[in-house]
């Protein structure tokens, strides 16, 4: 299934081609005119090894979606949370007003602090979660 998933992703990317607004175009330090960094309106919260990277990359193909380049660990790691919401926002890519910003940090799903902190930021935020259908042991 992972191999098929990767092949599907490559096919979708090639089909979307120049019409894709992949976030790498918006992650530069120089702000493109008309863009700003937005706090995510959607956060993929888990689960670890649930295909969260694949989901994020699929969503990133959509021209109205931009995604954070790395797992941010803002709501689950105290040392990041104390840095404040502006620190968090500055890790997001530049986006236009019609675009949705998404980050994914699977650690949020198992963090006791993350739900309350996310709710404090935005009580109506969308929180997609991917689940594994079988137990995977490492
Ligand atoms: N569609 C689909 N079906 C089944 N499995 C899939 C699918 N997409 C991704 N994967 C596998 O998911 C693993 C990575 O998941 P995550 O991106 O959530 O990993 S992480 O927690 O962020 O590290 C990773 O597995 P491992 O390679 O065993 O780590 C991917 O191969």
């Amino acid at each position: 299934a992972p191999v098929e998933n990767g092949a599907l992703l490559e096919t979708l990317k090639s089909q979307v081609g120049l019409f894709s607004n992949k976030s790498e175009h918006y992650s530069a330090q120089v702000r493109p005119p008309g863009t700003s960094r937005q706090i995510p309106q959607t956060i993929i919260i888990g689960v670890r090894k649930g295909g969260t990277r694949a989901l994020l990359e699929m969503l990133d193909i959509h021209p109205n979606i931009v995604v954070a380049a790395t797992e941010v660990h803002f709501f689950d790691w105290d040392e990041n949370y104390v840095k404040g919401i502006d620190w968090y926002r500055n890790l997001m890519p530049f986006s236009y007003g019609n675009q949705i910003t998404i980050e994914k940090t699977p650690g949020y799903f198992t963090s006791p602090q993350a739900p309350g902190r996310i709710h404090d930021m935005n009580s109506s935020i969308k929180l997609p979660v991917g689940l594994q259908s079988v137990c995977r042991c490492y």
Side-chain angles (χ1 to χ4, degrees), residues 1-2 5 47-54 71 104 106 136 138:
N5 193 65
V47 299
R48 281 198 184 91
K49 296 299 175 188
T52 54
R53 173 59 56 187
E71 292 183 11
K104 79 106 176 171
R136 298 175 60 176
Y138 296 92

Side-chain angles (χ1 to χ4, degrees), residues 10-22 25 61:
E10 290 310 311
T11 303
L12 284 169
K13 282 178 178 176
S14 65
Q15 286 179 354
V16 173
L18 293 173
F19 297 103
S20 170
N21 282 351
K22 287 274 293 173
H25 302 153
I61 293 171

Side-chain angles (χ1 to χ4, degrees), residues 13-137:
K13 282 178 178 176
S14 65
Q15 286 179 354
V16 173
L18 293 173
F19 297 103
S20 170
N21 282 351
K22 287 274 293 173
S23 295
E24 60 212 42
H25 302 153
Y26 298 90
S27 57
Q29 292 304 305
V30 178
R31 182 177 70 84
T35 67
S36 61
R37 298 186 195 275
Q38 298 294 323
I39 290 168
Q41 300 94 334
T42 298
I43 303 174
I44 299 170
I45 56 171
V47 299
R48 281 198 184 91
K49 296 299 175 188
T52 54
R53 173 59 56 187
L55 175 59
L56 191 74
E57 296 220 348
M58 292 279 187
L59 291 170
D60 194 24
I61 293 171
H62 196 287
N64 286 1
I65 290 176
V66 296
V67 308
T70 60
E71 292 183 11
V72 181
H73 288 282
F74 179 61
F75 298 103
D76 58 338
W77 290 359
D78 291 344
E79 63 268 36
N80 286 339
Y81 192 67
V82 296
K83 293 174 185 170
I85 200 74
D86 288 336
W87 177 87
Y88 182 52
R89 190 198 326 265
N90 277 326
L91 292 174
M92 299 302 141
F94 290 110
S95 60
Y96 292 101
N98 64 337
Q99 292 179 312
I100 295 169
T101 298
I102 303 180
E103 73 123 324
K104 79 106 176 171
T105 302
Y108 295 159
F109 190 78
T110 51
S111 162
Q113 296 87 7
R117 289 172 174 176
I118 294 173
H119 186 271
D120 287 346
M121 180 190 73
N122 179 354
S123 61
S124 61
I125 195 167
K126 304 288 188 298
L127 300 173
V129 58
L131 301 171
Q132 285 282 1
S133 60
V134 293
C135 173
R136 298 175 60 176
C137 304

